[in-house]
Amino acid sequence: MKKRMLGLAALLLILLVAACSSNEQENESTNENEESNESSEEMDHSEMNHSSSGEVPDDLEEAEDPSYEVDSTAVMNADHMPGMDGAEATISGAFDTVAYIVSYDPANGGERVEDHKWVIHEELEDPGEAPLEEGAEVTLNASHMEGMEGAEATIDSAEETTVYMVDFEPTDGGEKVENHKWVTESELSDE
């Protein structure tokens, strides 16, 4: 009888240790998932190429009479990225085109991007006549964000406008951004 009691106690002890170990692993896994989710939320904007070389598509036409001339300044009223809203921008380019808000699955397999502002008509692969209708399926030739180049996208909306390439110092103290693509005319103001 003593052997049975001792065996039963040993078995209970093993089960207790296994249960604690399993619970500990679950907690570690939960903590890792929370950290991973926090990281991916932080990475949303870190994957964006805020600055660019300033190169534009060959068929993109410079604006003839933009509201904001090259080398002038304007205040941005846009929140495409942290530190943008309220920042003073220096205009480095002004172009007449159609700007699209798009949703797409990154070509590199990342999470779906919804309502990305802005991709211009000249950054689409064989787009046809502008403007494209809401819901049109397109292939992106833009590289504003990692995984964007070659991604299949859906047009969410289109706006015939002047788009601006801008230089600015983010209001959150981030690094200076040069030749940022794109800000629309409606996202700029004199104050």
Side-chain angles (χ1 to χ4, degrees):
M1 180 79 164
K2 225 178 186 182
K3 282 186 180 181
R4 278 190 181 162
M5 290 300 277
L6 191 56
L8 186 57
L11 181 61
L12 287 174
L13 183 61
I14 290 171
L15 289 173
L16 182 63
V17 168
C20 288
S21 173
S22 173
N23 191 25
E24 216 171 274
Q25 287 174 345
E26 280 180 29
N27 286 341
E28 286 175 12
S29 176
T30 300
N31 288 341
E32 287 172 11
N33 285 340
E34 286 172 4
E35 288 172 14
S36 174
N37 287 341
E38 287 172 12
S39 296
S40 67
E41 286 174 18
E42 290 170 9
M43 288 175 41
D44 286 348
H45 294 290
S46 69
E47 293 176 5
M48 188 166 181
N49 299 329
H50 303 300
S51 292
S52 76
S53 66
E55 289 183 37
V56 297
D58 292 335
D59 53 344
L60 183 60
E61 294 181 22
E62 285 189 23
E64 287 185 31
D65 188 26
S67 296
Y68 302 94
E69 298 284 336
V70 171
D71 294 327
S72 69
T73 59
V75 175
M76 290 187 292
N77 304 301
D79 60 358
H80 310 173
M81 57 181 265
M84 181 180 247
D85 195 32
E88 184 178 80
T90 300
I91 307 302
S92 54
F95 308 91
D96 289 328
T97 188
V98 175
Y100 298 101
I101 297 175
V102 298
S103 294
Y104 66 95
D105 294 309
N108 64 357
E111 285 188 38
R112 182 166 180 79
V113 175
E114 299 284 344
D115 301 320
H116 174 82
K117 292 180 181 177
W118 299 94
V119 175
I120 60 171
H121 193 77
E122 293 77 8
E123 293 175 318
L124 304 177
E125 187 175 297
D126 301 323
E129 289 296 312
L132 297 177
E133 296 291 321
E134 182 179 327
E137 300 291 322
V138 296
T139 301
L140 304 177
N141 277 338
S143 56
H144 309 173
M145 294 180 71
E146 193 174 308
M148 183 178 262
E149 184 82 31
E152 299 301 316
T154 303
I155 302 294
D156 296 322
S157 68
E159 183 179 330
E160 291 187 53
T161 186
T162 300
V163 294
Y164 295 88
M165 189 164 35
V166 296
D167 301 338
F168 66 97
E169 304 254 357
T171 58
D172 65 0
E175 262 183 59
K176 182 176 181 178
V177 176
E178 295 185 349
N179 301 314
H180 176 77
K181 299 173 186 170
W182 303 103
V183 180
T184 61
E185 193 157 301
S186 63
E187 294 174 319
L188 296 172
S189 67
D190 293 325
E191 298 176 12

